[in-house]
Amino acid sequence: AMHWLVYRSDDGGDSWTNVDDFVLSPDYPSIPTAATADSLGNIYVGGYAYSYSPPGQLKPVMRRSTDGGQTWTTLNLPTYAGPEALATTPHGLFAVGSTDNVWKVWRSTNNGTTWSTVNTFQLGSGTTARGIAADASGNLFVVGDARYDSAPTRWIVRRSTNGGTSW
């Protein structure tokens, strides 16, 4: 199976150490898609595990380290698709992705233990959240795309100035 690998550098990128060699199961190649760290030093890596049996089934995966990558815990996500991107603010840990052609933003206020959906958005025949970032003031920005049946894809940016309560 294909493992996901997480590396850490302690010298500005001159050398790297593997701190997480993870595979969900031999039947599921695991693919990390996002990483972030919070102000407490917790490291989060999220992604997908694909199934060959039944074919094409996605399983979300989120991993957390509280000790600089020495040990990792696998967390549950409230969706069948893994996160496309992650961000942290004083308001919590945020993950973005899409389910059923609707973009979604999830927030955890307890270091990834539980999650709530704080934003859903759909425009056209399908909308996908691709990235999330926070500025120094804690404002959140989510970028994604919307598809229409015969029109070009449209890029969209949505902003929250209150920790994901409104967009």
Side-chain angles (χ1 to χ4, degrees), residues 3-5 12 14 35 38 41 46 66 70 85 103 107 110 139 141-142 150:
H3 295 229
W4 87 14
L5 303 173
D14 287 336
D38 65 20
T66 60
Q70 298 300 311
W103 101 2
R107 177 178 56 208
N110 55 11
N139 297 311
F141 299 86
V142 177
S150 60

Side-chain angles (χ1 to χ4, degrees), residues 10-61:
D10 296 320
D11 57 10
D14 287 336
S15 62
W16 294 86
T17 303
N18 182 342
V19 295
D20 192 26
D21 181 347
F22 173 76
V23 63
L24 186 62
S25 80
D27 295 329
Y28 295 95
S30 301
I31 302 168
T33 57
T36 193
D38 65 20
S39 62
L40 302 174
N42 296 317
I43 303 165
Y44 304 91
V45 178
Y48 304 88
Y50 290 94
S51 172
Y52 293 119
S53 177
Q57 180 180 348
L58 290 174
K59 292 184 179 266
V61 178

Side-chain angles (χ1 to χ4, degrees), residues 57-90:
Q57 180 180 348
L58 290 174
K59 292 184 179 266
V61 178
M62 175 76 77
R63 308 260 294 155
R64 177 185 64 212
S65 175
T66 60
D67 57 9
Q70 298 300 311
T71 60
W72 293 84
T73 302
T74 301
L75 308 170
N76 292 319
L77 287 174
T79 176
Y80 64 83
E84 293 289 332
L86 300 168
T88 57
T89 75

Side-chain angles (χ1 to χ4, degrees), residues 2 7 9 20 23-24 44 54 56 61 74 90 98 100 104-105 110-111 118 121-123 128 137 145 148 150 160:
M2 187 167 54
Y7 286 83
S9 176
D20 192 26
V23 63
L24 186 62
Y44 304 91
V61 178
T74 301
S98 300
D100 300 322
K104 296 193 177 172
V105 180
N110 55 11
N111 303 320
V118 295
F121 180 71
Q122 184 172 16
L123 185 65
T128 303
S137 299
D145 60 82
Y148 291 88
S150 60
S160 174

